[in-house]
Every structure is written in structure tokens, then in C-alpha cells.
Amino acid sequence: MKELLEKIRQDAKEAIDAASDLEALNAARVRFSGKKGELTAVLKQMGGLSAEERPIVGQLANEVRGDIENRIAEKEADLKSKATEMKLKSEKIDVTLPGKKEVLGKKHPLSIVLDEIKEIFIGMGFDVVQGPEVEYDYYNFEALNIPKDHPARDTQDTFYITDNILLRTQTSSVQIRTMEERKPPIRIIAPGRVYRSDAVDATHSPLFHQVEGLVVDKGITMSDLKGTLEVFIKALYGEESQVRFRPHHFPFTEPSAEMDVMCFACHGEGCRLCKGEGWIELLGCGMVHPKVLENCGIDPEVYSGFALGLGLERVVMRRFNIDDMRLLYENDQRFLNQF
Ligand code: DAH
């Protein structure tokens, strides 16, 4: 029996030494010192021993059990620390590796310029107001002195929703809404989307943006209009920029004008950008028509006003030298990241 115990001790030592992971070690524990293990099996036979032999074999058996358990405990600690070491190694963070860059969004060129325009007008005491894009015929045309049969309607190919409701073709509708709601003095700009049934090309889009301006007070004259616009253009395009006014016609202003800026590329000489003109048309404006004031319950004998309307896309394209309007709507990152 002594030999048997020594053999178990030896077999156990080999099995424990050979165990390469906790699973194998546990298998060795079950095999040698478990309840149904080899050591227990030997101890069960001790009943057949003589009274002198029993304590000796008993002592040896305890020694072997202790030996096996110590060995297992040692090996277990060893395996565990190796596992931790491996884990640490595999999870090591290399702080010298380059980081992943977050891609930041940017302001759209239309927003960049619109924000500047707002800033300039706010600085001159204007409020920024809004009106609906789905609009009544009355606000978009009728009250602006454009009756049903007026030829000006032909130039603004309108998306009608019903006979009386449409997608606004101009932000001028907000002039009427503002004058209905506020008493003079009025100083507002109204930026927003407008819609016209135009085919898409380099200079047309069925959806584009306008900025409307309106000033109404006692004693407002054409020189207020010219002065305001000159300050605006110099703030937007630089102190050296020059403007000129050409007579024009709009049903809702009298007199009406178009304002040009001197070409940035050739400074009035005439080049490709300005198509040889030396000047670039930028916006429409004029003195608010007395009929329009009347339509809004403002007495044209007491008050006068000026109005202006500019196409935002046009201003942006001239500002950044963009030759195709479609670029502004495609949201191509390669284009947008240039601003
Ligand atoms: N609403 C005009 C258009 O869409 C632009 C315009 C011209 C607005 C003259 C005005 C103005 O307020 O006074 O073509």
C-alpha cells in the first residue's frame, strides 16, 4: 500500500506539472484527491490493515494528500498569474499610436453669407422676421399690386396648390404680413426659401433663397434706400466696392431700381465674370408703392418706405466665385469643405 501511495504521489506530480491550463489542473484534482479519486480509493482499503500498519499508512496517506493539494495550489497560482499576464499583454494600449480624427461639420456657404447679411442689417437696427412658405395668393401677389391678370405673374412660374394657395415665389409676401402686424417705424429683413417652377440648370433651381428688406417710417426717401444699400454692400464685399442704381420696374415699388456692384474681377473694365459689363446685377429695390402701403392700412400720405429683394444664391456665387448653382444643393463634402 505504501508503494501504491508513493505511485499516486508520483503520478499526481507529473499530471500537475503537465497541466497547461486551469481545466487540466482541475481534472488532475478530481483524478487524485477528489471524492472518487485514486487516493480515496486507497484509503477505503485501510480497513484490511493491521493495527500497527494503519497509523503509518494513514500518516503517509495524509502526507500524500497534503503534498498533492499544495502542489495543486501552487500550480493554480502560477497558472492564474500567467493568465493575467497574457491578458495584460494582449490588452496593452499603445498611447503612441495616432488617434482617430472626428470629422467636424461646417457651415454651408449659403448659411455663411446669410449670417453675415443678418449681422450687417441687425447692426443697422433691423429685425429678422419670417413668413410661411405655403402662402395665400393675396400675400404673394394681390396685396403687392400684382392682380390676377398682371403680366408679372408670367415671369414667376408659380407652383399653385389651390387657386388661392401657392408656394411663395418671393419673400416680398413677408412685407405685407409685417405691415399688417406692425406699426411704423418698421425695419425688417426676411430671409427664406422661395419656389418657382424652373428647370434645374447652372443658374436656376425650383427652390432658392431670397432676403427681403423693408423700411417704413415718416420721411423715408430714396436716399435712405441708397445709403442703406451702400453701407450693406461695403460691409459684405469690402470698403472699396462700388454700387450703381439702374431704373427698373416692379409692381410693388415706385420708383423701382436694380442695384449693380462693380465687378470684383475687373473693377469695371469688363471681363468674363461680368460678361463684359464691368458691373454685376445684385438686387431689386425701390420705394414701396403707395397702393401697397394702403393695402396694409398704412397711410401713404403720412408714411413712406423702401424695399429690397436679393437672391441669396446669386450673392453667394459671386462672393465665392461659384459658377454652378447646383453645387450649393448637392452636399458634396469635397465642395463644402472648401469654405
Ligand atoms: N420680389 C422681387 C423678385 O423676386 C425682388 C424685389 C424687387 C423685392 C424689388 C423687393 C423690391 O422688395 O423692392 O424678383
Side-chain angles (χ1 to χ4, degrees):
M1 245 179 140
K2 276 190 200 163
E3 274 157 35
L4 204 52
L5 284 169
E6 284 304 339
K7 174 137 195 336
I8 289 174
R9 195 204 303 255
Q10 189 55 34
D11 287 353
K13 178 179 184 298
E14 275 163 25
I16 291 165
D17 285 350
S20 59
D21 55 26
L22 290 168
E23 216 177 309
L25 186 64
N26 205 39
R29 189 202 316 270
V30 171
R31 180 179 154 199
F32 296 105
S33 63
K35 270 190 198 146
K36 292 179 182 164
E38 292 185 13
L39 199 57
T40 318
V42 173
L43 292 176
K44 274 184 186 155
Q45 295 169 25
M46 273 180 50
L49 293 176
S50 69
E52 301 97 72
E53 277 175 319
R54 214 177 289 154
I56 300 168
V57 173
Q59 198 187 349
L60 180 62
N62 278 340
E63 207 186 291
V64 171
R65 178 189 295 282
D67 193 35
I68 291 175
E69 277 168 7
N70 282 342
R71 236 178 245 287
I72 287 177
E74 245 170 58
K75 182 74 180 190
E76 190 173 344
D78 184 41
L79 285 176
K80 275 191 178 155
S81 88
K82 270 197 186 126
T84 313
E85 204 174 298
M86 294 262 291
K87 197 166 174 231
L88 283 177
K89 232 182 219 166
S90 72
E91 288 176 0
K92 191 165 117 184
I93 295 170
D94 183 350
V95 293
T96 65
L97 282 175
K100 276 186 202 151
K101 260 200 182 162
E102 292 294 337
V103 183
L104 275 187
K106 280 189 179 173
K107 260 200 223 172
H108 191 281
L110 285 171
S111 303
I112 295 174
V113 175
L114 178 57
D115 284 352
E116 282 179 22
I117 292 173
K118 283 186 195 166
E119 204 60 32
I120 296 167
F121 277 102
I122 288 170
M124 293 193 280
F126 285 62
D127 285 346
V128 180
V129 302
Q130 282 190 329
E133 289 169 31
V134 177
E135 186 55 285
Y136 289 108
D137 184 287
Y138 176 77
Y139 290 102
N140 194 81
F141 290 129
E142 205 82 23
L144 285 162
N145 204 24
I146 313 173
K148 281 263 190 283
D149 54 359
H150 196 285
R153 292 204 179 200
D154 298 344
T155 62
Q156 304 194 358
D157 294 313
T158 311
F159 288 114
Y160 280 94
I161 294 167
T162 69
D163 274 355
N164 267 327
I165 299 173
L166 43 78
L167 295 180
R168 69 178 178 194
T169 61
Q170 47 186 356
T171 46
S172 302
S173 55
V174 189
Q175 285 189 33
I176 306 301
R177 289 185 171 272
T178 306
M179 286 190 278
E180 279 186 358
E181 278 167 21
R182 300 188 181 197
K183 296 269 146 294
I186 292 170
R187 272 193 302 250
I188 59 105
I189 57 164
R193 297 191 191 108
V194 297
Y195 302 83
R196 291 183 196 180
S197 171
D198 279 326
V200 176
D201 66 24
T203 53
H204 292 88
S205 160
L207 183 165
F208 60 103
H209 301 76
Q210 288 187 335
V211 181
E212 195 76 14
L214 175 70
V215 170
V216 182
D217 202 354
K218 285 178 181 157
I220 297 294
T221 67
M222 193 86 182
S223 58
D224 294 311
L225 166 62
K226 291 176 79 173
T228 305
L229 283 178
E230 207 166 314
V231 169
F232 165 60
I233 289 304
K234 285 186 192 299
L236 189 69
Y237 286 126
E239 236 1 86
E240 66 290 348
S241 35
Q242 290 193 38
V243 296
R244 75 173 185 191
F245 292 81
R246 273 179 298 103
H248 200 74
H249 173 265
F250 296 105
F252 35 87
T253 44
E254 180 59 34
S256 304
E258 276 189 333
M259 192 190 76
D260 303 336
V261 287
M262 191 179 274
C263 179
F264 321 109
C266 64
H267 305 285
E269 295 290 317
C271 69
R272 245 187 63 218
L273 180 67
C274 58
K275 301 195 179 83
E277 291 286 318
W279 295 83
I280 293 172
E281 180 208 320
L282 210 65
L283 56 82
C285 56
M287 300 306 291
V288 181
H289 199 292
K291 267 197 190 161
V292 173
L293 292 174
E294 251 168 35
N295 287 342
C296 302
I298 293 173
D299 185 353
E301 296 298 327
V302 181
Y303 293 102
S304 56
F306 69 77
L308 62 109
L310 61 83
L312 184 61
E313 277 78 357
R314 178 175 284 193
V315 176
V316 171
M317 287 166 77
R318 302 227 155 125
R319 167 69 177 277
F320 294 124
N321 234 331
I322 299 165
D323 59 7
D324 194 324
M325 193 165 169
R326 285 166 289 201
L327 288 165
L328 294 172
Y329 308 118
E330 284 166 352
N331 283 334
D332 186 331
Q333 294 273 328
R334 291 167 301 181
F335 169 73
L336 293 177
N337 280 332
Q338 297 175 57
F339 301 96

